[in-house]
Amino acid sequence: MEPVLSAAQPSTTPGVNPSFPTDGQFGNFDFIVVSNRLAVDRVVDEHGESSWRRSPGGLVTALAPVMAKADGAWVGWHGAPDETLEPFDESTMHLVPVPLSAEEVELYYEGFSNATLWPLYHDVIASPEFHRTWWDSYRKVNKRFAEATASVAAEGATVWVQDYQLQLVPKMLRQARPDLKIGFFNHIPFPPLEIYAQLPWRRQVIEGLLGADLIGFQRPSDASNFLRCVRRFKGYTIKAQQVQVPQGDDGVPAYVSRAEAFPISIDTASITELAERPDVIERSREIRRELGDPQYILLGVDRLDYTKGIGHRLKAYGELLEDGAITVEDAALIQVASPSRERVEQYRLLREDIESAVGRINGTHDTMKNTAIRYLHHSYPVEEMVALYLAADVMLVTALRDGMNLVAKEYVAARTGNTGMLVLSEFAGAADTLRQAILVNPHDIDGLKSAIVSAINMPKTERMRRMRLMRRQVVHNDVERWSQAFLDALHLESADHGA
């Protein structure tokens, strides 16, 4: 591991400059990913020795091969506040840590990113908060990310900025380094005009995003929402999803920014490999035995977030038990709710509500042998998750709003025998491509109940037909294909418009 500097001590690594480079000064890296977090996690062994391990997320999996081929660097926060690290190498990636103070984590990340933008972009399921101090910190941190990126980028490099925490970075980069090819991908939904209009800094965010040559979204509707906002709040000319971004006041186009959908996917091969491993298959059988070998196992896997519709799912399941449509002897629901933003008050209250609902349902319907809901407030390794996917006869994805929902795709990928059934919210991006799932409106509790019953009772031949088609879609459109499609379009866009 590289040495740790004090928070006040600047890095002196060659090629890394805390300010934007002047004319003629360039870094050494031809491909740069910029995200809120680095592509590695710090791990500490039993002896207290720390090291770095590549993060297991799909984005890292998709871009690591590109990094290896293209002399790449990854810019992001390393996860510890009030600590500054020098850039270091891990595997095939050069990592450029961006320091954040504890106050910036509170204002930029927990505040503006997750208490302003997150609820606003998820259709105001929870009320967003608007504070100028949060916005000021967001702008300041975005500038720091842009400075770090500009300092390490080679001339004409490709930069791919990731997600809603860094929406101002593209414009900052374009102003400092017009030689760069700049892409941005928004992993969460982009809200309709009528909702986005609430943001006091709506024009600044649009301007920030329009610094990119290509802006990627999960769904075509997200790209359309963004373009409507551009037309309304900036008045720029838009033709065929291309925005003519003027320079100065003369209206002459300086460059073109394009908004397009690129639905993200998963590392299908690794999920399939795990699903065929004997130890994982045996673990799935053990899970069924631990539940008393019920006829049906239903599964929900979510981050504990108000956008995921966990409460709606529990309400529907509880009513099915009350109606007698299912019994605890025949069916069990496993609900994995991994911890999320536990310092934020809304999330703390949500956890209390969910755990209270689980307690009521179990208290009413449990027997000495059977439990209605196994509630697991933990994060699990991917091997255990795949075992759960194999054990579950029905997967319940009831998001109220979701950019994609990769859990739905992981479940499909794991069902190598084309068994099982997916109940999927129409408000998740995955519903655009997994059309053979049973699509539901999670706000319609009666409809959700009917969907669960239909999934349980669906004839085997129909289940297999649907799952076969969904697996074909997920296998063909994996995360590597997603990243390649975006980068191909970015280079084409840049070449067409002289970026």
Side-chain angles (χ1 to χ4, degrees):
M1 190 185 76
E2 294 294 321
V4 176
L5 306 177
S6 69
Q9 183 180 356
S11 166
T12 57
T13 301
V16 178
N17 193 312
S19 62
F20 281 67
T22 58
D23 291 343
Q25 292 183 333
F26 302 107
N28 301 316
F29 297 95
D30 295 318
F31 178 63
I32 298 140
V33 175
V34 192
S35 67
N36 179 63
R37 289 297 298 269
L38 280 179
V40 293
D41 298 318
R42 179 184 276 161
V43 292
V44 180
D45 63 22
E46 63 272 16
H47 305 294
E49 296 291 326
S50 62
S51 60
W52 297 101
R53 178 179 61 196
R54 197 174 92 174
S55 301
L59 182 64
V60 180
T61 300
L63 297 181
V66 184
M67 289 277 181
K69 294 176 186 176
D71 191 18
W74 194 298
V75 176
W77 179 46
H78 65 283
D82 294 322
E83 179 184 67
T84 299
L85 302 183
E86 291 186 357
F88 61 96
D89 294 323
E90 176 65 26
S91 184
T92 59
M93 288 182 285
H94 182 72
L95 301 168
V96 183
V98 176
L100 296 179
S101 68
E103 181 182 38
E104 286 167 342
V105 172
E106 179 183 351
L107 300 179
Y108 144 78
Y109 182 69
E110 295 176 354
F112 196 80
S113 294
N114 291 324
T116 299
L117 294 175
W118 180 268
L120 185 77
Y121 282 31
H122 287 85
D123 291 357
V124 197
I125 295 170
S127 297
E129 298 180 44
F130 305 111
H131 301 291
R132 281 175 292 174
T133 53
W134 291 1
W135 164 252
D136 290 341
S137 182
Y138 183 83
R139 188 173 51 189
K140 176 182 175 183
V141 170
N142 271 240
K143 183 179 180 184
R144 190 177 306 147
F145 274 81
E147 288 173 347
T149 304
S151 295
V152 298
E155 185 174 9
T158 297
V159 177
W160 194 358
V161 185
Q162 305 289 332
D163 223 358
Y164 64 104
Q165 301 97 341
L166 302 174
Q167 293 177 108
L168 307 183
V169 170
K171 180 183 177 182
M172 293 173 174
L173 280 177
R174 180 169 290 277
Q175 291 175 332
R177 294 285 305 274
D179 60 294
L180 299 175
K181 293 180 284 288
I182 305 169
F184 181 93
F185 189 78
N186 196 61
H187 291 259
I188 67 173
F190 196 90
L193 167 64
E194 294 75 15
I195 291 177
Y196 181 79
Q198 298 178 33
L199 184 66
W201 307 278
R202 57 201 185 188
R203 287 182 175 84
Q204 292 96 315
V205 169
I206 287 173
E207 290 167 0
L209 291 171
L210 287 175
D213 297 288
L214 180 64
I215 309 165
F217 297 93
Q218 298 281 24
R219 311 178 82 169
S221 58
D222 295 323
S224 297
N225 286 344
F226 172 72
L227 291 173
R228 283 188 66 209
C229 291
V230 171
R231 185 178 289 111
R232 170 65 177 83
F233 297 117
K234 295 303 297 181
Y236 293 160
T237 300
I238 300 172
K239 294 181 180 178
Q241 298 180 290
Q242 295 179 336
V243 182
Q244 304 285 334
V245 184
Q247 184 176 25
D249 299 324
D250 56 7
V252 176
Y255 62 94
V256 172
S257 180
R258 181 176 178 84
E260 191 175 341
F262 296 88
I264 198 171
S265 192
I266 61 170
D267 182 6
T268 308
S270 67
I271 297 295
T272 300
E273 181 182 351
L274 285 171
E276 294 175 341
R277 256 175 44 182
D279 61 320
V280 176
I281 294 172
E282 177 54 35
R283 174 58 185 149
S284 72
R285 293 170 178 157
E286 184 181 6
I287 290 170
R288 293 195 77 96
R289 292 193 295 270
E290 289 173 353
L291 292 173
D293 284 317
Q295 189 174 357
Y296 308 107
I297 293 178
L298 294 82
L299 175 65
V301 175
D302 308 272
R303 196 165 51 79
L304 190 58
D305 192 284
Y306 50 76
T307 65
K308 301 300 183 181
I310 302 173
H312 296 64
R313 183 183 315 157
L314 296 179
K315 181 175 176 60
Y317 185 71
E319 289 189 10
L320 286 172
L321 289 169
E322 292 170 8
D323 298 343
I326 58 175
T327 67
V328 291
E329 289 79 16
D330 292 334
L333 170 63
I334 302 173
Q335 176 60 59
V336 178
S338 58
S340 174
R341 301 169 188 164
E342 296 191 304
R343 292 174 52 183
V344 179
E345 178 70 6
Q346 286 175 322
Y347 288 81
R348 187 183 64 78
L349 296 174
L350 174 66
R351 178 180 177 182
E352 292 178 0
D353 289 344
I354 296 301
E355 292 179 352
S356 177
V358 170
R360 285 196 304 271
I361 293 170
N362 284 346
T364 302
H365 299 286
D366 280 5
T367 66
M368 295 298 289
K369 283 184 61 179
N370 303 100
T371 296
I373 302 171
R374 289 292 179 93
Y375 176 74
L376 307 170
H377 185 57
H378 305 288
S379 296
Y380 291 94
V382 65
E383 294 84 359
E384 182 74 359
M385 295 310 306
V386 173
L388 285 167
Y389 296 149
L390 292 177
D393 301 287
V394 178
M395 183 83 209
L396 302 177
V397 176
T398 56
L400 306 180
R401 192 78 165 94
D402 214 338
M404 180 52 60
N405 195 285
L406 296 180
V407 163
K409 295 190 175 186
E410 288 179 352
Y411 177 75
V412 169
R415 306 303 297 202
T416 56
N418 296 320
T419 58
M421 183 42 54
L422 173 64
V423 175
L424 177 60
S425 168
E426 63 191 45
F427 302 120
D432 285 357
T433 51
L434 300 181
R435 304 299 298 175
Q436 291 76 29
I438 300 178
L439 300 180
V440 296
N441 173 3
H443 298 283
D444 177 6
I445 300 300
D446 286 338
L448 181 52
K449 290 165 61 179
S450 296
I452 294 172
V453 172
S454 295
I456 289 173
N457 295 327
M458 184 176 292
K460 180 180 179 180
T461 53
E462 177 64 8
R463 287 201 308 270
M464 294 188 73
R465 183 190 72 83
R466 291 182 179 224
M467 187 58 71
R468 186 179 298 111
L469 292 171
M470 288 191 286
R471 287 203 80 252
R472 184 181 302 165
Q473 206 283 334
V474 171
V475 169
H476 182 68
N477 296 290
D478 64 2
V479 71
E480 186 175 350
R481 187 180 180 93
W482 165 78
S483 63
Q484 195 59 56
F486 184 93
L487 291 172
D488 286 349
L490 173 59
H491 284 89
L492 180 62
E493 196 72 25
S494 300
D496 286 347
H497 302 293

